[in-house]
Amino acid sequence: MALRVIQWATGGVGQAAIEGILRHPELELVGCWVHSAAKDGRDVGELIGRAPLGVRATTDTAAVLAMDADAVIYAPIVPNADDVAAILRSGKNVVTPVGWFYPGATEAEPLEAACRAGGVTLHGTGINPGGIAELHPLMFSAWSSAVTYVRGEEFSDIRTYNSPDVVRWIMCFGATADEAMHSPMLKVLSGGFVQSVRMCLDVLGFSTDAEIRTVQEVAVATAAIDSPIGPIEPGRVAAQRFQWDAVIGDRVVVRVAVNWLMGEEQLDPPWTFGPEGERFEIEVKGDPDCFVTIRGWQPQTVKAGVARNPGIVATAMHCVNSVPYVCAAEPGITTYVDLPLIAGRAHPDLGR
Ligand SMILES: NC(=O)c1ccc[n+]([C@@H]2O[C@H](COP(=O)([O-])OP(=O)(O)OC[C@H]3O[C@@H](n4cnc5c(N)ncnc54)[C@H](OP(=O)(O)O)[C@@H]3O)[C@@H](O)[C@H]2O)c1
């Protein structure tokens, strides 16, 4: 029997997740929550540009909670812990790219209680936070002894992220430098990325005295730059760099960093991705050292990324592919540390 899955929100991640559920041999799409009134009652197939699927989207949260389903892929623009707790209490496992990657005790407690009440599991995953910031550094550290440093770093052109609300309101592109530097953005991002750093510290066994230091830098446009939120005018934020370092004494032992640029041509300071271009990097210093570059999660062109960004698809697919493992896990919040190896599935034309 297939696992019955509900998709919660149909932005970029949600739409890709629906495609992934439809292709996954162990999953069945049975419901869909939407925020937008314009999508209420519409067939989910139509929402993703396909033939009707016979599953209708709804804005009715109570109706979704009352549905019979095994799991919810929860991908709204911002997390709502009360909604997640209600989904868990209704007896549905939750996989999400919006948080709970490795929550601290205070944040975890109410959701642990909801998991226990519903007899289900909550799992946070994605590419960053998610794979790049914690899973991959930890995974590659297994090929080294005496680890002194791990790093996960993103170098992305944000002109390809076609989520204007996230780009404008969460990432603060187009704001003044002063607005961006004084916005809640660093706190919001740190909510996820500090969990990544703590997971690396704990799993690798670094001293619990490590201090977490944060860097935030912005670059502004020198001329108007076309972007998913319209032109970014000269003097407005067009690139940002965030870094979370765990430091023991004077040594950085864990670094997570993101370099988000609206192109490389009209920026002050004149930041670039360097000759290697867009990429994700994983580094482990130990015996031996290890250096990994991941390509493919960034599109070939801005136009292709705006149409379908592979990083967003990858985020959705790790959520989708996690569902069978999360449904089989013990009730509670589960992290990469607790789950077995998560794998994708063969193309439907090549599968059993
Ligand atoms: N961990 C990772 O690696 C990773 C990677 C990418 C994204 N993310 C996160 O995943 C989430 C979804 O990203 P996305 O790219 O899919 O964003 P998106 O394209 O902007 O979609 C967000 C969706 O949220 C719903 N929504 C809008 N306003 C809302 C509100 N006020 N309350 C509740 N829901 C609302 C809408 O759903 P409907 O259209 O159905 O109405 C919207 O389409 C974001 O939080 C993003 O930061 C994480």
Side-chain angles (χ1 to χ4, degrees):
M1 275 244 305
L3 293 166
R4 295 163 60 81
V5 183
I6 295 169
Q7 178 55 45
W8 192 288
T10 58
V13 173
Q15 291 190 30
I18 290 166
E19 293 174 3
I21 295 164
L22 296 175
R23 286 179 179 155
H24 196 294
E26 292 139 59
L27 306 181
E28 178 190 2
L29 182 76
V30 297
C32 181
W33 178 92
V34 287
H35 175 263
S36 321
K39 294 183 179 178
D40 190 25
R42 292 191 56 198
D43 189 281
V44 176
E46 289 169 5
L47 293 183
I48 63 164
R50 290 197 181 189
L53 295 170
V55 177
R56 295 212 171 267
T58 179
T59 54
D60 184 343
T61 302
V64 172
L65 293 176
M67 287 182 74
D68 173 24
D70 298 288
V72 171
I73 297 179
Y74 178 81
I77 188 161
V78 283
N80 179 324
D82 293 337
D83 282 347
V84 174
I87 298 168
L88 294 167
R89 285 180 188 281
S90 78
K92 299 171 190 61
N93 296 279
V94 175
V95 180
T96 179
V98 303
W100 303 287
F101 307 95
Y102 190 63
T106 309
E107 188 188 353
E109 203 284 318
L111 292 164
E112 285 281 5
C115 286
R116 284 194 298 274
V120 291
T121 303
L122 167 64
H123 176 56
T125 183
I127 57 170
N128 206 16
I132 296 303
E134 65 269 53
L135 177 60
H136 298 151
L138 290 174
M139 200 175 83
F140 284 104
S141 74
W143 281 269
S144 303
S145 70
V147 175
T148 57
Y149 174 73
V150 295
R151 175 175 64 92
E153 185 156 2
E154 173 177 352
F155 301 82
S156 287
D157 187 338
I158 298 301
R159 290 177 303 171
T160 70
Y161 186 12
N162 191 12
S163 173
D165 288 341
V166 174
V167 170
R168 182 185 287 113
W169 303 119
I170 297 180
M171 297 167 120
C172 279
F173 282 93
T176 65
D178 194 51
E179 283 165 352
M181 294 300 286
H182 292 97
S183 77
M185 175 175 46
L186 179 61
K187 192 168 170 225
V188 170
L189 294 174
S190 294
F193 285 108
V194 169
Q195 293 183 32
S196 310
V197 172
R198 290 204 188 286
M199 184 187 284
C200 290
L201 287 170
D202 288 353
V203 175
L204 293 168
F206 283 113
S207 164
T208 50
D209 293 339
E211 178 195 346
I212 296 181
R213 295 183 191 159
T214 307
V215 174
Q216 175 182 7
E217 297 170 300
V218 300
V220 296
T222 57
I225 300 174
D226 276 341
S227 84
I229 56 171
I232 296 189
E233 299 299 336
R236 295 298 179 122
V237 171
Q240 311 192 56
R241 187 164 190 286
F242 294 91
Q243 184 170 295
W244 293 266
D245 281 350
V247 183
I248 298 175
D250 57 359
R251 297 181 72 157
V252 177
V253 295
V254 178
R255 172 167 292 170
V256 172
V258 295
N259 303 269
W260 291 330
L261 278 58
M262 290 284 183
E264 301 178 86
E265 281 165 12
Q266 281 135 350
L267 300 176
D268 176 23
W271 293 349
T272 70
F273 298 124
E276 292 189 70
E278 287 185 89
R279 64 201 183 278
F280 293 88
E281 286 183 352
I282 308 298
E283 184 177 7
V284 177
K285 286 185 184 161
D287 179 20
D289 295 341
C290 171
F291 195 94
V292 181
T293 302
I294 297 178
R295 299 190 191 280
W297 289 351
Q298 281 123 345
Q300 295 289 325
T301 63
V302 172
K303 193 175 168 199
V306 167
R308 190 170 188 267
N309 188 308
I312 297 303
V313 177
T315 299
M317 292 319 145
H318 208 266
C319 292
V320 171
N321 287 321
S322 300
V323 168
Y325 306 90
V326 171
C327 289
E330 290 296 311
I333 297 176
T334 193
T335 72
Y336 299 131
V337 179
D338 315 299
L339 288 170
L341 174 79
I342 290 165
R345 293 294 183 270
H347 189 286
D349 293 349
L350 301 170
R352 286 182 207 103

